Amino acid sequence: MREKKLLYLFSLLFMFWACTSNSTHKRHLTERLFLERSQISITHPGNRPGQGGNQSAMVLNEQVNYNQLQLADNKKNEADDARLDTNKVYTLSQVTVTSQARFAPVREGQVNIDFIIHVPEAYLSDDFQLTLTPELITPDSVVNLEDVVLRGKNFIELQKQDYERFDNYLSGIIDPSAYDSAFVDRRGVNRELGRRRQTELDSYYGKWSLMQEYRDWRNTEQAKYDAYNVKHAEALRQKLMTHDIKYRSMFNRKLAMRADTTNLGIKYRKERKKIIASSPVKRQITLDAVPAKYRSFYLKGIGPEDLEPLLPKEKDSIALVNEYLLHEKIAVNETKGSRQEEVFRYMVPNPYRPDAHYSATIVPGKAYSYRYTRTYPVTAGLKTLKLTLGGTITATDRSYYKIQRVDTLHYIISSMDELADGSLLGNPEFTAEQRTEYMHALKLLKNREYQRALNILSDYDDYNTAVALTCLGYDGRAYNLLATLPQTANTHYLAAVLCNRLKEMQAAVDHLMEACRLDPGKINRAHRDPEISKIIQDYNLQLE
């Protein structure tokens, strides 16, 4: 019985430990975003986001102000959603995707992509970085536009710390040019230099002792040779003196007898040469007489003053450096250098974004709106563009939340050439040749070859000529031409566009109102045409 009670007690303790261990793990800062009902959204300028709180939006770049609508049915206690229990299965509320279209007029071969990004307050925190990536969808590709980056103050501080950590890593990498000072076994170099110094000193003293022996030997030998040479030199001098006395005696007798002394002189010189030649050769120290161990001194004429120790110099120390490099440390250093990009990605997972379209610091407690505007080149055949928004939210605890693609906006590529009036081909005054030429001009307009079209239409000075001038940006000339033409819904609508460009706003309003009165079909285009819809909004026009 007691064993059963103990077993039961251990079971309870184990279950308690298991439950507490599962419930005490650290929650991610981004956890609450998985249950967040509000959504990041995008709209065309002038439209409001489909949902959100009642906070007024903080406007970035001073572009747009808006008030978010209060949700009538959002009465659930938000405390129930404060944490995400990973042991439960949740059903998220329906995601509403809206599709909105707007005309995007072509200006100088480009269209203006203009939309507003709405970020509810719930997604903004001092600990977050939001990277919002607009995605432009064409019929054959998806183009990521430049990001909008919002950073909280704590996240900014974390980035600074990441960069400091990476800078410390870089400071530990030695440039190869400094290897001879940073990665050298100095003790080994000094030991080798000391050994070489001692070896040279030993060699020097050995040579110096041998030199002293050589000098003693040479002095002794030279004394012997000098004695021999002096003795024989004296004997030769005596012989020559005797010979000279004999010659002078004979010479004087010849002179006394007035005899010829020429032969006597010749004989004298011959005999003198023989006496000198018969004398022993003067002795001196030669190579053969020098012992082998002294011969280098003899041949080089080295004296004591020429001997000195060949001690290591600075160049020898430099040469030794390569022999005593710490190759293992060098290999470690080079490995660190080769891993710079990899280590940067690890140490700085969220680098600065100087390439961002826009960057701002988050102010918690406010929702954000940002009006995003940029141009996009129009290629042949491009009729529509779609725009959606994706991105990521990263927190200071390195947790991560992926922003799912939000509402899709549509842009209908429109050009002034769409306002061309093909019915003018029916001009009864046209010849067959003119009609063919005029038809070709309309095709050029459609292909956006405006200058070539104008080269033809300038001969006709009609409504389509004004369209070509408008396409090329010759707004004043186009408006002056329209003033000379019969006034129709088309001419009034094109005049409204031109007056808007020329900043003649009241005239633009008047022409627009008259165009819609003459042709109510123009109302739909006016609302979707950015060059006209702004006039409607600014002047609160009621076109219906």
Side-chain angles (χ1 to χ4, degrees), residues 118 132 222 238 286 307 374 419 422 484:
H118 305 275
L132 306 173
Q222 191 62 49
Q238 292 293 335
T286 62
L307 295 179
R374 66 154 289 175
L419 298 177
T484 66

Short mmCIF file of all heavy atoms in Angstrom, two decimals, residues 118 132 222 238 286 307 374 419 422 484:
data_model
loop_
_atom_site.label_atom_id
_atom_site.label_comp_id
_atom_site.label_asym_id
_atom_site.label_seq_id
_atom_site.Cartn_x
_atom_site.Cartn_y
_atom_site.Cartn_z
N HIS A 118 -0.03 51.33 -44.99
CA HIS A 118 -0.64 51.55 -43.68
C HIS A 118 -0.15 50.48 -42.71
O HIS A 118 -0.28 49.29 -42.98
CB HIS A 118 -2.17 51.49 -43.76
CG HIS A 118 -2.75 52.43 -44.77
ND1 HIS A 118 -3.03 53.75 -44.50
CD2 HIS A 118 -3.10 52.24 -46.08
CE1 HIS A 118 -3.54 54.32 -45.57
NE2 HIS A 118 -3.58 53.43 -46.56
N LEU A 132 9.44 46.42 -45.13
CA LEU A 132 8.28 46.32 -46.00
C LEU A 132 8.74 46.37 -47.45
O LEU A 132 9.37 47.33 -47.87
CB LEU A 132 7.30 47.45 -45.70
CG LEU A 132 6.89 47.58 -44.21
CD1 LEU A 132 6.06 48.82 -44.00
CD2 LEU A 132 6.14 46.34 -43.76
N GLN A 222 111.87 36.01 -43.27
CA GLN A 222 112.41 37.18 -43.97
C GLN A 222 113.78 37.56 -43.43
O GLN A 222 114.66 38.02 -44.17
CB GLN A 222 111.44 38.36 -43.82
CG GLN A 222 111.78 39.53 -44.72
CD GLN A 222 111.69 39.15 -46.21
OE1 GLN A 222 110.70 38.57 -46.65
NE2 GLN A 222 112.75 39.45 -46.98
N GLN A 238 132.30 43.30 -53.94
CA GLN A 238 133.76 43.18 -53.91
C GLN A 238 134.28 42.78 -55.29
O GLN A 238 135.30 43.31 -55.76
CB GLN A 238 134.18 42.14 -52.85
CG GLN A 238 133.92 42.57 -51.42
CD GLN A 238 134.78 43.75 -51.00
OE1 GLN A 238 135.89 43.99 -51.55
NE2 GLN A 238 134.27 44.53 -50.04
N THR A 286 108.19 33.27 -51.36
CA THR A 286 107.28 32.98 -52.48
C THR A 286 106.15 32.08 -51.99
O THR A 286 106.17 31.56 -50.87
CB THR A 286 108.04 32.30 -53.62
OG1 THR A 286 108.56 31.04 -53.15
CG2 THR A 286 109.19 33.18 -54.12
N LEU A 307 91.32 42.30 -40.50
CA LEU A 307 90.48 41.30 -39.84
C LEU A 307 89.42 42.00 -38.97
O LEU A 307 89.73 42.92 -38.23
CB LEU A 307 91.32 40.38 -38.96
CG LEU A 307 92.33 39.47 -39.68
CD1 LEU A 307 93.11 38.64 -38.66
CD2 LEU A 307 91.64 38.57 -40.68
N ARG A 374 7.32 56.10 -56.87
CA ARG A 374 8.49 55.91 -57.74
C ARG A 374 8.01 55.63 -59.16
O ARG A 374 6.85 55.29 -59.39
CB ARG A 374 9.38 54.78 -57.25
CG ARG A 374 8.77 53.41 -57.31
CD ARG A 374 9.85 52.35 -57.42
NE ARG A 374 10.47 52.39 -58.75
CZ ARG A 374 11.50 51.62 -59.09
NH1 ARG A 374 12.05 50.81 -58.21
NH2 ARG A 374 12.00 51.67 -60.31
N LEU A 419 -6.35 58.44 -75.93
CA LEU A 419 -7.37 59.45 -76.21
C LEU A 419 -7.46 59.79 -77.70
O LEU A 419 -8.28 60.63 -78.10
CB LEU A 419 -7.07 60.73 -75.41
CG LEU A 419 -7.09 60.58 -73.88
CD1 LEU A 419 -6.70 61.91 -73.23
CD2 LEU A 419 -8.44 60.12 -73.40
N GLY A 422 -9.93 57.67 -83.53
CA GLY A 422 -9.80 56.99 -84.81
C GLY A 422 -10.87 57.36 -85.80
O GLY A 422 -10.72 57.15 -87.02
N THR A 484 -8.54 75.99 -81.23
CA THR A 484 -8.95 76.32 -82.61
C THR A 484 -9.88 75.26 -83.18
O THR A 484 -10.36 75.43 -84.31
CB THR A 484 -7.72 76.44 -83.51
OG1 THR A 484 -7.09 75.15 -83.63
CG2 THR A 484 -6.72 77.43 -82.94
#
